[in-house]
Amino acid sequence: YDLLKSKQPNEEIKYHSGYREKFDAILNAGEKSYNELANAGFSVEKVDNVSAKQLREIMILSKTTFAKSWGFTDLSEKEFLGIYSQEKIDSSSRLYLLQKGVEIIGFSNIIIENNETFIFKTICVLSEYFGLGFGNALAYKVHYDAKHEGIRKIIYALVRESNNIKNFPKDDAVIFRKYSSFEFELK
């Protein structure tokens, strides 16, 4: 870290990974957003049977939202559908869709580690909905379901320090690793 930092990178992007075993703070922070959005006609639902059409929409949403993010890899449709197939969602992960009517405007991907642990892997919301509580609503629904299913721990993998989710409490999470990526202009 010190060596790379001393080379004066153009940008340093910070991340952390952590976990939480008590969900009350996150539920308290997100419940209002979740209820307000539900009252405005939006929904957050766990999807048990994802269609090929929905998967394609999620792929486009991911590309639109993450294309300018450091480390983004543009996957072909075949590669994307291999990662987010119905079989994977049934056995090793869980998908939550944030919708305005039938339009998908965001999603969350959860990896099922075991009967007591989830890994909160991805949260994605279209940029025109940033700052309106949609990320909080997604986080609320994931944690609400986890608590009611007896999940004891949620791990947050590679959370960008500049994450846009308002009120996403960090103080009650145990941070177990910090990361930095550096961007240099090569001459």
Side-chain angles (χ1 to χ4, degrees):
Y1 176 86
D2 291 336
L3 174 66
L4 290 172
K5 189 76 172 165
S6 73
K7 301 296 181 187
Q8 300 177 344
N10 292 22
E11 185 175 7
E12 177 182 3
I13 303 167
K14 295 183 178 192
Y15 301 85
H16 64 269
S17 291
Y19 68 89
R20 180 178 280 114
E21 294 178 327
K22 295 181 181 177
F23 307 142
D24 291 337
I26 199 83
L27 292 172
N28 291 335
E31 184 175 21
K32 182 179 178 198
S33 293
Y34 181 82
N35 290 332
E36 286 174 354
L37 295 174
N39 290 334
F42 295 89
S43 64
V44 178
E45 299 296 329
K46 180 179 81 149
V47 178
D48 293 320
N49 295 304
V50 64
S51 70
K53 179 182 181 287
Q54 288 172 318
L55 286 171
R56 284 184 190 87
E57 288 179 44
I58 292 166
M59 180 183 72
I60 292 166
L61 177 67
S62 295
K63 288 181 180 194
T64 302
T65 304
F66 298 128
K68 294 182 181 178
S69 296
W70 183 89
F72 172 77
T73 302
D74 190 11
L75 301 175
S76 70
E77 184 173 327
K78 182 179 178 181
E79 292 168 322
F80 188 88
L81 295 177
I83 294 170
Y84 290 97
S85 67
Q86 179 64 52
E87 295 79 25
K88 300 255 176 147
I89 291 169
D90 284 346
S91 62
S92 62
S93 68
R94 183 176 282 185
L95 183 65
Y96 286 83
L97 296 181
L98 169 60
Q99 295 181 278
K100 180 181 181 182
V102 296
E103 178 189 5
I104 299 172
I105 61 169
F107 73 94
S108 263
N109 182 38
I110 309 304
I111 297 171
I112 301 169
E113 180 74 12
N114 56 46
N115 291 341
E116 296 183 347
T117 306
F118 284 172
I119 300 172
F120 201 135
K121 184 67 179 119
T122 305
I123 191 165
C124 178
V125 176
L126 281 173
S127 62
E128 56 260 37
Y129 296 99
F130 284 179
L132 301 174
F134 290 93
N136 281 336
L138 272 165
Y140 171 82
K141 178 64 172 159
V142 169
H143 288 81
Y144 178 88
D145 286 357
K147 182 175 181 174
H148 288 86
E149 292 173 26
I151 298 300
R152 296 176 186 248
K153 180 190 275 187
I154 295 183
I155 298 170
Y156 311 93
L158 286 170
V159 177
R160 195 172 186 155
E161 290 289 330
S162 62
N163 191 312
N164 289 327
I165 298 176
K166 291 180 185 175
N167 304 317
F168 195 81
K170 294 180 186 176
D171 297 339
D172 66 325
V174 176
I175 306 301
F176 60 83
R177 187 163 294 139
K178 293 187 176 195
Y179 312 83
S180 286
S181 61
F182 296 97
E183 195 168 292
F184 292 93
E185 187 173 326
L186 300 176
K187 297 176 184 184

